[in-house]
Amino acid sequence: MAIRPVLRMGEPCLLMKAAPIAHFNTPDLHALIQDMEDTMHHLNGAGIAAPQIGESVRVIIFGQKKSEEMINPRYPDADAVPYTVLINPVLTPVSTEVEDGWEGCLSVPGMRGVVPRYVRLHYTGFDQYGTPVDRLVSGFHARVVQHECDHLDGILYPMRITDLKKFGYSDVFFPNQDIQDD
Ligand code: NI
């Protein structure tokens, strides 16, 4: 329905704790998710959280639909993550194992940083119809969920970087890759 402007780091909305969704399967909720999907696809994002388009509610979307077998140019090596709408998510790590990995964010355009994340986790929540979602995931899928859920608590990935030498411009760290400016 609409590609919305993505807020960039520094905007107060990105630092707020977002409110839970109380009512599912409403026109407003469907419209919000459609806008998030349009915006994420336009920018080739791996995921997007509602606060990134200025809506401080606990809604994230991530992954790709089966019909879109094209490879995301921002994350060409990423394992396939199924398209998921996740509302009021709850994450629970299932082991203490953590691994470093490169991340970017539509709200921090042109940058990349190495962020430690739990390797395996269990997540629950609801889709836009109120149907429960319950998954055990690992690797890139687990990383994306952690990154997007952080947005709902006002946390941006640079706040998680433990070695700031591994935070910088995408085209400096990856000069041979055609990484877009976001
Ligand atoms: Ni992000």
PDB file of all heavy atoms in Angstrom, residues 88-114:
ATOM      1  N   ASN A  88       3.977  -9.047  19.422  1.00  0.00           N
ATOM      2  CA  ASN A  88       4.173  -9.262  20.867  1.00  0.00           C
ATOM      3  C   ASN A  88       5.143 -10.430  21.121  1.00  0.00           C
ATOM      4  O   ASN A  88       4.841 -11.341  21.901  1.00  0.00           O
ATOM      5  CB  ASN A  88       2.834  -9.536  21.567  1.00  0.00           C
ATOM      6  CG  ASN A  88       1.849  -8.393  21.422  1.00  0.00           C
ATOM      7  OD1 ASN A  88       2.213  -7.280  21.018  1.00  0.00           O
ATOM      8  ND2 ASN A  88       0.593  -8.652  21.730  1.00  0.00           N
ATOM      9  N   PRO A  89       6.307 -10.420  20.480  1.00  0.00           N
ATOM     10  CA  PRO A  89       7.204 -11.576  20.581  1.00  0.00           C
ATOM     11  C   PRO A  89       7.843 -11.734  21.958  1.00  0.00           C
ATOM     12  O   PRO A  89       8.057 -10.751  22.662  1.00  0.00           O
ATOM     13  CB  PRO A  89       8.286 -11.268  19.533  1.00  0.00           C
ATOM     14  CG  PRO A  89       8.287  -9.787  19.394  1.00  0.00           C
ATOM     15  CD  PRO A  89       6.848  -9.357  19.617  1.00  0.00           C
ATOM     16  N   VAL A  90       8.116 -12.993  22.282  1.00  0.00           N
ATOM     17  CA  VAL A  90       8.882 -13.336  23.486  1.00  0.00           C
ATOM     18  C   VAL A  90      10.003 -14.263  23.050  1.00  0.00           C
ATOM     19  O   VAL A  90       9.750 -15.312  22.437  1.00  0.00           O
ATOM     20  CB  VAL A  90       7.996 -14.047  24.537  1.00  0.00           C
ATOM     21  CG1 VAL A  90       8.840 -14.476  25.737  1.00  0.00           C
ATOM     22  CG2 VAL A  90       6.853 -13.126  24.986  1.00  0.00           C
ATOM     23  N   LEU A  91      11.241 -13.874  23.328  1.00  0.00           N
ATOM     24  CA  LEU A  91      12.409 -14.683  22.955  1.00  0.00           C
ATOM     25  C   LEU A  91      12.991 -15.346  24.187  1.00  0.00           C
ATOM     26  O   LEU A  91      13.114 -14.716  25.228  1.00  0.00           O
ATOM     27  CB  LEU A  91      13.510 -13.798  22.345  1.00  0.00           C
ATOM     28  CG  LEU A  91      13.177 -12.929  21.145  1.00  0.00           C
ATOM     29  CD1 LEU A  91      14.458 -12.334  20.574  1.00  0.00           C
ATOM     30  CD2 LEU A  91      12.437 -13.723  20.097  1.00  0.00           C
ATOM     31  N   THR A  92      13.375 -16.615  24.038  1.00  0.00           N
ATOM     32  CA  THR A  92      14.027 -17.336  25.124  1.00  0.00           C
ATOM     33  C   THR A  92      15.229 -18.094  24.553  1.00  0.00           C
ATOM     34  O   THR A  92      15.043 -19.017  23.753  1.00  0.00           O
ATOM     35  CB  THR A  92      13.063 -18.364  25.763  1.00  0.00           C
ATOM     36  OG1 THR A  92      11.836 -17.715  26.063  1.00  0.00           O
ATOM     37  CG2 THR A  92      13.656 -18.956  27.033  1.00  0.00           C
ATOM     38  N   PRO A  93      16.455 -17.709  24.918  1.00  0.00           N
ATOM     39  CA  PRO A  93      17.617 -18.477  24.439  1.00  0.00           C
ATOM     40  C   PRO A  93      17.540 -19.899  24.975  1.00  0.00           C
ATOM     41  O   PRO A  93      17.117 -20.107  26.120  1.00  0.00           O
ATOM     42  CB  PRO A  93      18.819 -17.731  25.050  1.00  0.00           C
ATOM     43  CG  PRO A  93      18.292 -16.399  25.477  1.00  0.00           C
ATOM     44  CD  PRO A  93      16.829 -16.587  25.774  1.00  0.00           C
ATOM     45  N   VAL A  94      17.909 -20.882  24.139  1.00  0.00           N
ATOM     46  CA  VAL A  94      17.864 -22.262  24.611  1.00  0.00           C
ATOM     47  C   VAL A  94      19.249 -22.792  24.954  1.00  0.00           C
ATOM     48  O   VAL A  94      19.390 -23.919  25.417  1.00  0.00           O
ATOM     49  CB  VAL A  94      17.165 -23.214  23.608  1.00  0.00           C
ATOM     50  CG1 VAL A  94      15.700 -22.846  23.465  1.00  0.00           C
ATOM     51  CG2 VAL A  94      17.840 -23.216  22.255  1.00  0.00           C
ATOM     52  N   SER A  95      20.275 -21.972  24.725  1.00  0.00           N
ATOM     53  CA  SER A  95      21.599 -22.282  25.249  1.00  0.00           C
ATOM     54  C   SER A  95      22.316 -20.966  25.435  1.00  0.00           C
ATOM     55  O   SER A  95      21.848 -19.919  24.975  1.00  0.00           O
ATOM     56  CB  SER A  95      22.371 -23.202  24.288  1.00  0.00           C
ATOM     57  OG  SER A  95      22.992 -22.442  23.267  1.00  0.00           O
ATOM     58  N   THR A  96      23.447 -21.019  26.130  1.00  0.00           N
ATOM     59  CA  THR A  96      24.194 -19.788  26.377  1.00  0.00           C
ATOM     60  C   THR A  96      25.145 -19.472  25.226  1.00  0.00           C
ATOM     61  O   THR A  96      25.830 -18.460  25.246  1.00  0.00           O
ATOM     62  CB  THR A  96      25.016 -19.893  27.672  1.00  0.00           C
ATOM     63  OG1 THR A  96      25.841 -21.068  27.572  1.00  0.00           O
ATOM     64  CG2 THR A  96      24.107 -20.012  28.892  1.00  0.00           C
ATOM     65  N   GLU A  97      25.167 -20.368  24.205  1.00  0.00           N
ATOM     66  CA  GLU A  97      26.108 -20.183  23.105  1.00  0.00           C
ATOM     67  C   GLU A  97      25.803 -18.903  22.322  1.00  0.00           C
ATOM     68  O   GLU A  97      24.664 -18.648  21.926  1.00  0.00           O
ATOM     69  CB  GLU A  97      26.052 -21.385  22.162  1.00  0.00           C
ATOM     70  CG  GLU A  97      27.158 -21.387  21.131  1.00  0.00           C
ATOM     71  CD  GLU A  97      27.022 -22.519  20.110  1.00  0.00           C
ATOM     72  OE1 GLU A  97      26.175 -23.419  20.314  1.00  0.00           O
ATOM     73  OE2 GLU A  97      27.746 -22.469  19.113  1.00  0.00           O
ATOM     74  N   VAL A  98      26.862 -18.120  22.101  1.00  0.00           N
ATOM     75  CA  VAL A  98      26.739 -16.840  21.401  1.00  0.00           C
ATOM     76  C   VAL A  98      27.731 -16.854  20.252  1.00  0.00           C
ATOM     77  O   VAL A  98      28.813 -17.442  20.372  1.00  0.00           O
ATOM     78  CB  VAL A  98      27.064 -15.693  22.396  1.00  0.00           C
ATOM     79  CG1 VAL A  98      27.287 -14.374  21.689  1.00  0.00           C
ATOM     80  CG2 VAL A  98      25.948 -15.558  23.440  1.00  0.00           C
ATOM     81  N   GLU A  99      27.375 -16.254  19.107  1.00  0.00           N
ATOM     82  CA  GLU A  99      28.369 -16.127  18.036  1.00  0.00           C
ATOM     83  C   GLU A  99      28.317 -14.729  17.435  1.00  0.00           C
ATOM     84  O   GLU A  99      27.285 -14.056  17.440  1.00  0.00           O
ATOM     85  CB  GLU A  99      28.187 -17.202  16.959  1.00  0.00           C
ATOM     86  CG  GLU A  99      27.009 -17.017  16.052  1.00  0.00           C
ATOM     87  CD  GLU A  99      26.867 -18.166  15.035  1.00  0.00           C
ATOM     88  OE1 GLU A  99      27.729 -19.062  14.996  1.00  0.00           O
ATOM     89  OE2 GLU A  99      25.863 -18.134  14.291  1.00  0.00           O
ATOM     90  N   ASP A 100      29.473 -14.285  16.927  1.00  0.00           N
ATOM     91  CA  ASP A 100      29.575 -12.983  16.277  1.00  0.00           C
ATOM     92  C   ASP A 100      29.103 -13.080  14.838  1.00  0.00           C
ATOM     93  O   ASP A 100      29.322 -14.098  14.177  1.00  0.00           O
ATOM     94  CB  ASP A 100      31.033 -12.497  16.278  1.00  0.00           C
ATOM     95  CG  ASP A 100      31.493 -12.021  17.648  1.00  0.00           C
ATOM     96  OD1 ASP A 100      30.631 -11.673  18.482  1.00  0.00           O
ATOM     97  OD2 ASP A 100      32.714 -11.997  17.877  1.00  0.00           O
ATOM     98  N   GLY A 101      28.493 -12.017  14.348  1.00  0.00           N
ATOM     99  CA  GLY A 101      28.101 -11.973  12.936  1.00  0.00           C
ATOM    100  C   GLY A 101      27.889 -10.528  12.505  1.00  0.00           C
ATOM    101  O   GLY A 101      27.566  -9.666  13.324  1.00  0.00           O
ATOM    102  N   TRP A 102      28.076 -10.287  11.209  1.00  0.00           N
ATOM    103  CA  TRP A 102      27.886  -8.938  10.675  1.00  0.00           C
ATOM    104  C   TRP A 102      26.396  -8.607  10.577  1.00  0.00           C
ATOM    105  O   TRP A 102      25.607  -9.442  10.137  1.00  0.00           O
ATOM    106  CB  TRP A 102      28.510  -8.825   9.283  1.00  0.00           C
ATOM    107  CG  TRP A 102      29.999  -8.800   9.300  1.00  0.00           C
ATOM    108  CD1 TRP A 102      30.841  -9.861   9.137  1.00  0.00           C
ATOM    109  CD2 TRP A 102      30.830  -7.643   9.516  1.00  0.00           C
ATOM    110  NE1 TRP A 102      32.152  -9.434   9.229  1.00  0.00           N
ATOM    111  CE2 TRP A 102      32.176  -8.086   9.461  1.00  0.00           C
ATOM    112  CE3 TRP A 102      30.571  -6.288   9.749  1.00  0.00           C
ATOM    113  CZ2 TRP A 102      33.251  -7.211   9.633  1.00  0.00           C
ATOM    114  CZ3 TRP A 102      31.648  -5.428   9.921  1.00  0.00           C
ATOM    115  CH2 TRP A 102      32.966  -5.891   9.864  1.00  0.00           C
ATOM    116  N   GLU A 103      26.064  -7.386  10.949  1.00  0.00           N
ATOM    117  CA  GLU A 103      24.689  -6.905  10.808  1.00  0.00           C
ATOM    118  C   GLU A 103      24.666  -5.511  10.203  1.00  0.00           C
ATOM    119  O   GLU A 103      25.616  -4.741  10.339  1.00  0.00           O
ATOM    120  CB  GLU A 103      23.988  -6.856  12.187  1.00  0.00           C
ATOM    121  CG  GLU A 103      23.793  -8.232  12.786  1.00  0.00           C
ATOM    122  CD  GLU A 103      22.981  -8.236  14.068  1.00  0.00           C
ATOM    123  OE1 GLU A 103      22.269  -7.240  14.355  1.00  0.00           O
ATOM    124  OE2 GLU A 103      23.056  -9.252  14.784  1.00  0.00           O
ATOM    125  N   GLY A 104      23.564  -5.223   9.541  1.00  0.00           N
ATOM    126  CA  GLY A 104      23.253  -3.875   9.104  1.00  0.00           C
ATOM    127  C   GLY A 104      21.848  -3.576   9.565  1.00  0.00           C
ATOM    128  O   GLY A 104      21.178  -4.425  10.143  1.00  0.00           O
ATOM    129  N   CYS A 105      21.399  -2.356   9.306  1.00  0.00           N
ATOM    130  CA  CYS A 105      20.059  -1.974   9.737  1.00  0.00           C
ATOM    131  C   CYS A 105      19.576  -0.849   8.837  1.00  0.00           C
ATOM    132  O   CYS A 105      20.339   0.064   8.519  1.00  0.00           O
ATOM    133  CB  CYS A 105      20.106  -1.515  11.194  1.00  0.00           C
ATOM    134  SG  CYS A 105      18.503  -1.007  11.846  1.00  0.00           S
ATOM    135  N   LEU A 106      18.320  -0.911   8.443  1.00  0.00           N
ATOM    136  CA  LEU A 106      17.754   0.133   7.576  1.00  0.00           C
ATOM    137  C   LEU A 106      17.765   1.494   8.272  1.00  0.00           C
ATOM    138  O   LEU A 106      17.743   2.523   7.603  1.00  0.00           O
ATOM    139  CB  LEU A 106      16.331  -0.237   7.165  1.00  0.00           C
ATOM    140  CG  LEU A 106      16.182  -1.546   6.367  1.00  0.00           C
ATOM    141  CD1 LEU A 106      14.714  -1.841   6.108  1.00  0.00           C
ATOM    142  CD2 LEU A 106      16.962  -1.487   5.063  1.00  0.00           C
ATOM    143  N   SER A 107      17.861   1.489   9.609  1.00  0.00           N
ATOM    144  CA  SER A 107      17.898   2.752  10.354  1.00  0.00           C
ATOM    145  C   SER A 107      19.318   3.273  10.567  1.00  0.00           C
ATOM    146  O   SER A 107      19.509   4.348  11.144  1.00  0.00           O
ATOM    147  CB  SER A 107      17.209   2.581  11.713  1.00  0.00           C
ATOM    148  OG  SER A 107      15.831   2.305  11.525  1.00  0.00           O
ATOM    149  N   VAL A 108      20.301   2.486  10.110  1.00  0.00           N
ATOM    150  CA  VAL A 108      21.709   2.882  10.227  1.00  0.00           C
ATOM    151  C   VAL A 108      22.328   2.700   8.839  1.00  0.00           C
ATOM    152  O   VAL A 108      23.181   1.831   8.622  1.00  0.00           O
ATOM    153  CB  VAL A 108      22.455   2.018  11.287  1.00  0.00           C
ATOM    154  CG1 VAL A 108      23.830   2.604  11.607  1.00  0.00           C
ATOM    155  CG2 VAL A 108      21.641   1.878  12.576  1.00  0.00           C
ATOM    156  N   PRO A 109      21.879   3.482   7.852  1.00  0.00           N
ATOM    157  CA  PRO A 109      22.239   3.202   6.457  1.00  0.00           C
ATOM    158  C   PRO A 109      23.732   3.330   6.176  1.00  0.00           C
ATOM    159  O   PRO A 109      24.407   4.194   6.730  1.00  0.00           O
ATOM    160  CB  PRO A 109      21.447   4.248   5.669  1.00  0.00           C
ATOM    161  CG  PRO A 109      21.011   5.269   6.654  1.00  0.00           C
ATOM    162  CD  PRO A 109      20.956   4.618   7.996  1.00  0.00           C
ATOM    163  N   GLY A 110      24.202   2.390   5.334  1.00  0.00           N
ATOM    164  CA  GLY A 110      25.580   2.446   4.876  1.00  0.00           C
ATOM    165  C   GLY A 110      26.601   1.880   5.830  1.00  0.00           C
ATOM    166  O   GLY A 110      27.804   1.929   5.557  1.00  0.00           O
ATOM    167  N   MET A 111      26.153   1.318   6.949  1.00  0.00           N
ATOM    168  CA  MET A 111      27.083   0.830   7.960  1.00  0.00           C
ATOM    169  C   MET A 111      26.895  -0.682   8.166  1.00  0.00           C
ATOM    170  O   MET A 111      25.841  -1.245   7.881  1.00  0.00           O
ATOM    171  CB  MET A 111      26.841   1.527   9.307  1.00  0.00           C
ATOM    172  CG  MET A 111      26.732   3.029   9.254  1.00  0.00           C
ATOM    173  SD  MET A 111      28.279   3.910   9.071  1.00  0.00           S
ATOM    174  CE  MET A 111      29.115   3.579  10.618  1.00  0.00           C
ATOM    175  N   ARG A 112      27.946  -1.301   8.719  1.00  0.00           N
ATOM    176  CA  ARG A 112      27.891  -2.697   9.136  1.00  0.00           C
ATOM    177  C   ARG A 112      28.674  -2.833  10.431  1.00  0.00           C
ATOM    178  O   ARG A 112      29.642  -2.098  10.653  1.00  0.00           O
ATOM    179  CB  ARG A 112      28.526  -3.632   8.097  1.00  0.00           C
ATOM    180  CG  ARG A 112      27.722  -3.841   6.816  1.00  0.00           C
ATOM    181  CD  ARG A 112      26.477  -4.667   7.056  1.00  0.00           C
ATOM    182  NE  ARG A 112      25.770  -4.961   5.819  1.00  0.00           N
ATOM    183  CZ  ARG A 112      24.946  -4.118   5.207  1.00  0.00           C
ATOM    184  NH1 ARG A 112      24.745  -2.913   5.699  1.00  0.00           N
ATOM    185  NH2 ARG A 112      24.332  -4.465   4.103  1.00  0.00           N
ATOM    186  N   GLY A 113      28.269  -3.791  11.247  1.00  0.00           N
ATOM    187  CA  GLY A 113      28.998  -4.027  12.485  1.00  0.00           C
ATOM    188  C   GLY A 113      28.879  -5.475  12.911  1.00  0.00           C
ATOM    189  O   GLY A 113      27.937  -6.169  12.521  1.00  0.00           O
ATOM    190  N   VAL A 114      29.853  -5.940  13.701  1.00  0.00           N
ATOM    191  CA  VAL A 114      29.834  -7.313  14.209  1.00  0.00           C
ATOM    192  C   VAL A 114      29.163  -7.319  15.581  1.00  0.00           C
ATOM    193  O   VAL A 114      29.564  -6.589  16.481  1.00  0.00           O
ATOM    194  CB  VAL A 114      31.269  -7.887  14.297  1.00  0.00           C
ATOM    195  CG1 VAL A 114      31.258  -9.210  15.061  1.00  0.00           C
ATOM    196  CG2 VAL A 114      31.829  -8.079  12.895  1.00  0.00           C
TER     197      VAL A 114
END
